Amino acid sequence: MRGAAALAAAVPMAWWAAGAGADDLPIGRIVVGTGVPSGVYARYGQLLSEQLGREAPGLEVVLRPSEGSVQNIERLVAGSADFVIATADSIAAHLAGEARGQRPGKPGKAVELRACVRLYDDYMQLVVPAGSPVRACADLAGLRVGVGQDGSGVQLVTRELLAAAGLDMESDVTAVREGIHTMPRMMETDRLDAFFWSGGLPTSAVTGLSERLPIRLVPLGELLPRLHSGGPHTAHYRAAVMPPDAYPAIAVEQAVDTVAVANLLVTRETTDADLTERVTRAVINGRDRIAAAVHAAQRVDLRTAIYTRPLELHEGARRYYRSAKL
């Protein structure tokens, strides 16, 4: 342990070691990549950290905010994070060499990544003021549109949705590269005509905006067939509906058709199996406690947790699921 501590002090990376207790609890420090402060990733990461504190009190969990899925994957590959939340499409884009900073067709390092658990789905949300003339994605031409930060999963799918609607993100709209922590206020102050967000339901920032400003959610489901004609990552988008009560302050009479994509908890293939098993166990054990604060976490289910396409399960996660008789 003294040697491990010296290594941790010498280089800026996380470390851990097995404890000496009867349950062989891990001790040390791990870094978990989350998201922007007002997004679901950040809140979920905080609550998962608290669950790990109950199950492995000797393990220090450092939460690292990020711009979103793409940056989380980059940090995981670089070794500056140990576990991250990322969308399946962002992972697939990285595998295909289509992620930020890679040439199309050049495989990335995502072959070294493994999944722990399938979490909840992100729902694509196109938000406009209630009086906006925008009724479909194609109506965004010429408008100021929040497309998500560079390095975010929302920007990846936004680009594809606009293309499916016949629009180029760089030339047909005024693309505002901001995140969910700033876009609602920009809309309130008339600096945005619309914004895209990909997150669990409900997202607190959208809830807050709906209570201050009359807004609408624009249907996106009709774009799915054309969306699937994009790169290999677009195969991970599926049809979904946002229920009328997702945002109580938004007056809707029926569900809104949209597009959804799964979130995964991801680590590296080389991460210790005992540690990965412990983290996977905490996700499942903490589902009800986390879901009491993050509604989307209700979708975390032991029966579907093993479906982590496009990644294989980490051996530690497999070990946990075998112990749970899956």
Side-chain angles (χ1 to χ4, degrees):
M1 282 298 298
R2 284 195 295 271
L7 177 62
V11 294
M13 28 185 327
W15 61 274
W16 87 281
D23 294 327
D24 204 27
L25 294 177
I27 57 176
R29 176 178 179 268
I30 60 170
V31 178
V32 177
T34 59
V36 296
S38 57
V40 178
Y41 278 12
R43 183 62 174 143
Y44 186 90
Q46 177 186 354
L47 294 166
L48 177 59
S49 173
E50 294 172 4
Q51 181 67 26
L52 280 166
R54 294 181 180 91
E55 299 197 14
L59 190 65
E60 178 190 0
V61 180
V62 178
L63 300 178
R64 189 173 185 189
S66 75
E67 295 168 355
S69 293
V70 174
Q71 187 175 60
N72 277 344
I73 295 166
E74 291 171 348
R75 288 174 173 174
L76 189 59
V77 170
S80 59
D82 300 290
F83 296 87
V84 302
I85 306 172
T87 53
D89 62 324
S90 298
I91 297 166
H94 194 86
L95 280 164
E98 297 174 352
R100 182 173 62 177
Q102 295 177 346
R103 295 190 302 272
K106 179 184 177 183
K109 295 183 179 180
V111 292
E112 300 175 2
L113 303 183
R114 294 292 182 266
C116 301
V117 58
R118 175 177 175 151
L119 299 171
Y120 55 89
D121 284 351
D122 275 353
Y123 288 74
M124 202 62 196
Q125 302 163 54
L126 174 53
V127 181
V128 298
S132 169
V134 174
R135 298 291 170 178
C137 191
D139 298 335
L140 295 173
L143 300 182
R144 302 164 298 174
V145 181
V147 298
Q149 294 171 289
D150 294 337
S152 66
V154 63
Q155 190 177 115
L156 176 69
V157 64
T158 292
R159 187 182 297 275
E160 296 290 352
L161 284 167
L162 289 169
L167 302 176
D168 184 279
M169 194 180 86
E170 306 301 334
S171 59
D172 293 326
V173 301
T174 300
V176 181
R177 289 170 160 80
E178 295 284 346
I180 194 62
H181 57 302
T182 56
M183 292 189 295
R185 288 293 182 188
M186 293 182 71
M187 179 169 285
E188 283 185 88
T189 54
D190 197 30
R191 289 179 289 159
L192 276 183
D193 300 305
F195 68 81
F196 285 93
W197 170 243
S198 177
L201 294 177
T203 295
S204 60
V206 178
T207 298
L209 176 62
S210 71
E211 293 168 350
R212 300 187 302 268
L213 179 75
I215 59 174
R216 283 190 293 106
L217 295 170
V218 178
L220 297 166
E222 66 178 8
L223 298 175
L224 190 61
R226 279 170 284 172
L227 193 63
H228 281 163
S229 66
H233 60 283
T234 63
H236 295 276
Y237 302 133
R238 66 171 184 82
V241 293
M242 289 184 281
D245 60 351
Y247 296 105
I250 301 178
V252 294
E253 296 180 356
Q254 57 186 12
V256 178
D257 292 333
T258 190
V259 173
V261 62
N263 283 296
L264 310 180
L265 184 66
V266 186
T267 190
R268 292 183 296 277
E269 182 183 20
T270 54
T271 303
D272 184 271
D274 289 339
L275 174 63
T276 304
E277 180 181 5
R278 179 66 59 174
V279 171
T280 305
R281 184 185 305 276
V283 171
I284 302 301
N285 288 350
R287 187 197 72 164
D288 291 344
R289 181 178 287 108
I290 294 173
V294 178
H295 183 78
Q298 294 177 9
R299 299 294 183 180
V300 178
D301 189 283
L302 186 58
R303 293 166 297 180
T304 58
I306 60 175
Y307 297 108
T308 57
R309 196 169 61 96
L311 293 179
E312 296 180 10
L313 283 169
H314 191 281
E315 176 54 34
R318 289 182 185 275
R319 186 186 300 171
Y320 166 70
Y321 294 125
R322 284 195 294 266
S323 74
K325 308 300 183 185
L326 285 185

